[in-house]
Amino acid sequence: MKFFIATKNAHKVIEFKRILEPMGIEVLCERDLPFSLPDVEEDGTTFEENATIKAAFACEKTGMVSLADDSGLCVDALDGAPGIFSARYSGVHGDDKENNRKLLRELEGVPYEKRTARFVSAVACVFPDGRKFTVTGKCEGHIDFEEKGENGFGYDPLFVGEIGCFGLASGEEKDKVSHRGKALVMLRDELKNYI
């Protein structure tokens, strides 16, 4: 079975492949297409809405079952920010270093026990016949005082979960506990009702 992953983030493609291919799902991405997909405006107010917008657009353009993830970091001391704006928190989309710097500035003076946060990943699946569903995975943790490690991407070097700092964890270690790993296991289970 072939699924199209609607993302331009190469790190997410790697995670999707690592988690979905053992399930017997062939993962295709934009580089497998004979054309480029334009960006779609993510104007939803939740992770679920934005994931569905991206997956529906990709399904319409490719004619394939399409998956899209919208994910981010929600920090309690910042009233849930950066939330759905995680990738562009610093004002430039996808600038991980600057996003992390801004997060550390915003949390300056906040003690560790109050730096609670969670990663959230909503994965939407849209079928060419109009059927669709979303699943949402969460991973609880804290925000550290400095970046650690070179693994992962985004806020991983600052996020401390049950396996320690995500920036120090291997991809396989992270998949077992991460928001996206949890969402993709839910996706696999939900797909049994659709295939």
Side-chain angles (χ1 to χ4, degrees):
M1 173 171 269
K2 294 182 180 180
F3 281 59
F4 180 77
I5 308 300
T7 184
K8 295 183 186 293
N9 183 325
H11 297 290
K12 285 188 183 181
V13 171
I14 290 167
E15 280 194 13
F16 270 89
K17 284 187 174 205
R18 196 169 57 229
I19 294 169
L20 293 179
E21 286 181 346
M23 300 175 192
I25 295 171
E26 184 181 347
V27 174
L28 302 175
C29 60
E30 188 169 340
R31 72 169 177 259
D32 299 311
L33 299 175
F35 56 90
S36 293
L37 287 177
D39 288 328
V40 61
E41 185 179 0
E42 297 174 41
D43 55 3
T45 58
T46 65
F47 293 114
E48 291 80 7
E49 287 176 6
N50 283 333
T52 301
I53 288 167
K54 290 185 280 190
F57 180 77
C59 183
E60 178 189 335
K61 297 298 183 189
T62 66
M64 288 187 268
V65 179
S66 295
L67 302 175
D69 155 90
D70 195 54
S71 54
L73 179 70
C74 301
V75 181
D76 294 319
L78 302 178
D79 296 322
I84 61 171
F85 304 106
S86 292
R88 52 193 182 276
Y89 190 43
S90 65
V92 179
H93 193 281
D95 188 339
D96 293 348
K97 286 288 182 195
E98 204 47 53
N99 288 337
N100 285 334
R101 280 191 202 100
K102 178 174 182 180
L103 181 62
L104 288 173
R105 284 195 305 272
E106 297 287 327
L107 288 173
E108 210 168 291
V110 177
Y112 188 78
E113 64 272 11
K114 297 206 180 280
R115 296 165 81 100
T116 52
R118 72 210 38 81
F119 273 130
V120 178
S121 171
V123 178
C125 180
V126 177
F127 293 82
D129 63 10
R131 294 176 298 155
K132 61 186 174 185
F133 67 88
T134 60
V135 291
T136 304
K138 295 180 181 178
C139 177
E140 300 288 335
H142 285 79
I143 302 303
D144 211 338
F145 295 97
E146 62 182 11
E147 291 185 51
K148 292 179 182 160
E150 300 293 324
N151 296 339
F153 61 99
Y155 298 96
D156 286 349
L158 290 175
F159 188 81
V160 180
E162 63 183 279
I163 57 169
C165 179
F166 276 23
L168 296 169
S170 71
E172 290 74 16
E173 289 172 321
K174 195 175 105 171
D175 291 344
K176 291 175 183 169
V177 299
S178 77
H179 52 311
R180 195 167 298 108
K182 290 176 182 176
L184 291 176
V185 168
M186 286 187 260
L187 172 81
R188 177 197 63 197
D189 293 342
E190 186 66 22
L191 279 172
K192 293 172 186 169
N193 299 318
Y194 288 81
I195 300 172

